[in-house]
Amino acid sequence: MIILGIETSCDETSASLVKKGASGNLEIINNTVATSLDLHATTGGIIPENAAREQLKYMLPVIQKTIKPLHDPKTQIDAIAVTVGPGLIGSLLVGVETAKTLSLIWKKPIIPVNHLFGHIYANWLTAESKATNQKLSANSKLDKNDSIQFPALALIVSGNHTDLVLMFSHVKHEVLGSTRDDAAGEAFDKIGRLIGLNYPAGPEIAKRAKNGNPDAATFPRPMKYSHDYDFSFSGLKTAVLRDVKQIKILTDEIIADISLGAEEAIVDVITHKTIKAARQYKVKTILLGGGVAANTKLREELHRKLVIDGLDAQIYAPEKSLCTDNAAMIAAAAFFRNKTQSLKDITVDPELYY
Ligand code: KG4
Ligand code: ZN
């Protein structure tokens, strides 16, 4: 079975062909991602109208490139999975209307997908990513069939979300906590802006942090010890702003120190709460997802704390390129949560939640 995934929720235009092989494992046949990030870097963030215009420009070329390996897409593709939310309304509409058009022409069902579940299901994508996780794994004794076990705790850390979701199965879940203000990615991006780094600043902060002095800048850990699973990062941003205001010249050294201090604060809070929830709910698996899940310190610190805590859980994280927005994860989610809907019932929902 082959699913064509389409993802246009924000500033990436992506199409992907994902196949379920005989072993039941998902295999990416082709994954194309075009990004309008360079354009948004010039405006210091995303202007929704610009993002939607770029989606329109890239959508058809991206699909054409993706389906090229197929001799006859019309017969080879079994279904179309498309992100219906959450995201920017103009951007989402481009993907959804394209999916509907293809569905009519090719006479294929559409599976509407929640982008947030897409980030979670990026973990089911490739055998290769599982192998990477095996190496990273704290107790490296994977289950015999190497399959992801429930109950699982999903940590979604993206530009707009910092959520802990407890998954009892593919169809039953409970949100344990969310951010009350800025999301983790947003915190990286806003702090980056304060120290003169381009949008999106997460990867650049991680790079600069490598040269930072661990004793130079320490920032608060908002809500680390609160008795819930919520997060808050706006106070951290304010603390960095206060520091930056006192600095006359932002040298590379200072930028590195602040990058390290901020990265450590964000990672510390997120990993502390994730391990606490994993312990409380006795989960078998921790699944990372979202752009910030590409952060090496986050991955390493989570493993470190898991080992210290002696928890018997496996940590999975998608390949780094599949942490940020892509259509392969949308197709992957569709395989497990495949509820097709009639065209007239499929609409975009910018505020869609779990
Ligand atoms: O999941 P994503 O691609 O888009 C949303 O759905 O929001 O996440 C983008 C976010 C940005 O805020 C970016 O700064 C952050 O992920 N990000 C990182 C890293 N790579 C991307 N943050 C920290 N470290 C990274 N290596
Ligand atoms: Zn995303």
Side-chain angles (χ1 to χ4, degrees), residues 182-198:
D182 293 350
E186 198 178 352
F188 273 110
D189 296 338
K190 287 180 173 171
I191 289 168
R193 199 174 176 167
L194 294 175
I195 53 176
L197 304 179
N198 276 343

Side-chain angles (χ1 to χ4, degrees), residues 235-306:
L236 173 64
K237 176 191 64 195
T238 313
V240 174
L241 176 64
R242 224 178 290 128
D243 266 22
V244 169
K245 274 187 174 162
Q246 287 167 4
I247 297 165
K248 287 202 183 76
I249 302 167
L250 273 171
T251 60
D252 278 347
E253 202 182 332
I254 295 175
I255 292 173
D257 292 343
I258 294 179
S259 294
L260 180 59
E263 186 186 47
E264 281 189 336
I266 295 170
V267 165
D268 186 26
V269 177
I270 293 175
T271 52
H272 177 83
K273 287 209 154 162
T274 305
I275 294 295
K276 186 176 148 189
R279 191 188 321 117
Q280 180 177 347
Y281 293 98
K282 300 186 175 62
V283 300
K284 294 194 173 137
T285 310
I286 298 175
L287 301 168
L288 303 190
V292 182
N295 186 282
T296 306
K297 189 160 285 162
L298 175 69
R299 292 173 178 227
E300 290 177 351
E301 185 61 10
L302 199 59
H303 280 98
R304 200 183 69 80
K305 286 184 173 153
L306 186 89

Side-chain angles (χ1 to χ4, degrees), residues 7 9-10 12 115-116 119 158-160 290-291 323-326 329:
E7 154 64 37
S9 67
C10 190
E12 265 93 23
H115 180 86
L116 300 169
H119 278 304
S158 69
N160 293 308
C323 286
T324 44
D325 293 350
N326 66 83
M329 68 186 199

Side-chain angles (χ1 to χ4, degrees), residues 17-34:
L17 290 173
V18 177
K19 180 180 167 183
K20 196 170 208 171
S23 63
N25 281 350
L26 298 187
E27 190 187 308
I28 298 177
I29 301 173
N30 209 358
N31 183 37
T32 315
V33 184

